Amino acid sequence: MPDRFVRTALAAVLVLLGLFVAQPYVTALLFSAETPRAVTARGDLAPAESTTVALFEQASPSVVHVFAQAAARGQSLMRLDDEEEGGQGQGGGTQTGTGFVWDAGGHVVTNNHVVQAATQSGGSIAVRLSSGEVVGARVVGTAPSYDLAVLQLGRVSKMPPPLSIGTSANLKVGQTAYAIGNPFGLDHTLTTGVISALQRRLPTGEGRELSGVIQTDAAINPGNSGGPLLDSAGRLIGVNTAIYSPSGASAGIGFAVPVDTVNRVVPDLIRSGRVRNPGIGIIAGQEATAARLGIDGVVVLRVLRGSPAAAAGIQGVDPGTGEIGDIIVGVGGKPIHRLAELTAALQAAGVGQGVTLTIERDGRTRTVRITTADVAENRQ
């Protein structure tokens, strides 16, 4: 009797073990879907998703891909067959970035650093529209101090619509921001985030800083340069210009030129090819040298002949003895410590406006009333 029970139990165990081993094969045999499965109805998109989709569909036709080739490479940009991921062609001389249509006249705004090499070498520029059409373009004007450039499109089959313009004056930290661009050569990529900070300062040239810069955590990578930063209404609020990252890839800190600056600079570039640059007609000394000498302020190295500074009696460094003349330590009653602060104050005043400078000379301080003029970008 016990032997029979043991044999029965062992047989049952073997049967169960066999079923356990065979179960995956039986399940696959009986339940495999060998025909396309029925699609499950999704329902409506969430309101936030619908808003983002509508924003991209509205704005993306106005965003373009910019290709700038230095003349030394001698390769036509109307042939884009050799593009490589990452923004460089096989020739190695192609800089790619993003731009957007500014007006119905075919003007495109992008970053100056995207087209700088082509501009300086007499190279060629091409633009690929959202439709896929590739057209030639020429540089209308550049503003290195703002990292902005304006292009004029050649003949196109159908002009894309300009982007709607917003304002950067009332932006709030935390509001949603959308970036559209061509990172690593990938067309029309949308990233989203928030405005992380306002009133940042960004170096754009020797001795110059762009004030009021927008910081965002919307992913900005190489190739996004010159693309639009939009608010939730699809309006332009900035031009993506830089990222802060040791590796060169997005690390959650991107910067954009505020649209109020763009809306002031771009019309000047379209009208005259350059931006009106408010200054007083001086060349400033090196900040590092002033710091070594213990000087707090902007050392006037040289005064330009016929400038507002010359008319006001401002003096630079004596070329014979090297004796320091005037040091600008304040504008409008507010102290300044370096050239970037002087530049920002004069830009806020504008061309042809009166400003009051506080100046030190030989240990004595005085104030001078002076009217700004339009000066070259590498002077102040």
Side-chain angles (χ1 to χ4, degrees):
M1 188 68 172
D3 291 341
R4 182 188 300 178
F5 176 77
V6 170
R7 288 195 296 271
T8 303
L10 287 175
V13 169
L14 290 175
V15 170
L16 291 174
L17 182 61
L19 291 174
F20 178 78
V21 172
Q23 184 269 334
Y25 303 98
V26 174
T27 300
L29 179 65
L30 296 178
F31 300 107
S32 293
E34 298 180 353
T35 59
R37 294 188 59 201
V39 176
T40 302
R42 185 204 182 283
D44 295 335
L45 294 174
E49 292 176 308
S50 298
T51 299
T52 302
V53 169
L55 181 146
F56 180 77
E57 291 177 346
Q58 175 186 349
S60 61
S62 304
V63 181
V64 303
H65 203 161
V66 179
F67 303 83
Q69 173 100 35
R73 299 295 177 178
Q75 182 179 356
S76 172
L77 278 174
M78 300 308 287
R79 296 179 65 249
L80 304 177
D81 299 332
D82 68 342
E83 286 176 46
E84 290 181 350
E85 194 171 314
Q88 295 292 331
Q90 291 174 359
T94 303
Q95 172 71 45
T96 71
T98 305
F100 56 90
V101 178
W102 178 260
D103 58 24
H107 290 108
V108 166
V109 174
T110 187
N111 280 153
N112 177 66
H113 75 258
V114 172
V115 300
Q116 187 172 24
T119 303
Q120 293 176 345
S121 66
S124 55
I125 299 173
V127 171
R128 181 161 60 201
L129 307 180
S130 62
S131 64
E133 181 181 5
V134 178
V135 297
R138 64 179 179 86
V139 176
V140 172
T142 62
S145 293
Y146 302 93
D147 197 16
L148 293 174
V150 175
L151 311 178
Q152 174 69 65
L153 294 177
R155 186 183 300 276
V156 299
S157 299
K158 181 180 180 182
M159 187 66 67
L163 284 177
S164 301
I165 304 298
T167 178
S168 49
N170 57 5
L171 294 177
K172 303 293 184 183
V173 173
Q175 73 180 78
T176 307
Y178 304 82
I180 303 179
N182 307 294
F184 304 109
L186 302 173
D187 284 347
H188 288 82
T189 299
L190 172 69
T191 57
T192 65
V194 298
I195 294 175
S196 304
L198 298 168
Q199 300 302 320
R200 295 299 194 205
R201 292 184 178 272
L202 185 68
T204 59
E206 184 177 351
R208 290 184 178 272
E209 287 183 345
L210 180 59
S211 60
V213 172
I214 302 167
Q215 180 184 327
T216 179
D217 68 345
I220 297 174
N221 287 289
N224 276 106
S225 294
L229 186 70
L230 308 171
D231 64 10
S232 57
R235 304 180 308 163
L236 180 73
I237 57 173
V239 177
N240 300 318
T241 189
I243 59 175
Y244 180 78
S245 170
S247 66
S250 177
I253 302 179
F255 300 99
V257 182
V259 69
D260 290 350
T261 299
V262 178
N263 209 8
R264 175 174 59 85
V265 170
V266 168
D268 275 351
L269 295 181
I270 294 174
R271 182 169 49 249
S272 61
R274 60 179 297 271
V275 63
R276 285 163 58 85
N277 186 52
I280 57 176
I282 66 167
I283 296 177
Q286 293 290 331
E287 291 184 5
T289 302
R292 285 197 300 269
L293 295 174
I295 297 173
D296 183 16
V298 177
V299 176
V300 179
L301 181 64
R302 186 156 62 91
V303 177
L304 304 180
R305 183 178 302 175
S307 67
I314 296 176
Q315 295 181 5
V317 174
D318 189 312
T321 65
E323 183 179 355
I324 294 175
D326 287 331
I327 304 170
I328 302 174
V329 296
V331 178
K334 297 181 179 179
I336 62 169
H337 308 282
R338 54 200 181 109
L339 179 60
E341 294 172 346
L342 173 61
T343 300
L346 297 180
Q347 287 175 345
V351 175
Q353 302 300 314
V355 293
T356 301
L357 304 182
T358 304
I359 296 175
E360 285 185 1
R361 184 194 301 174
D362 297 329
R364 294 187 297 271
T365 301
R366 74 185 195 280
T367 58
V368 174
R369 185 69 177 173
I370 192 168
T371 301
T372 62
D374 186 10
V375 300
E377 281 211 1
N378 61 346
R379 296 172 179 173
Q380 194 53 74

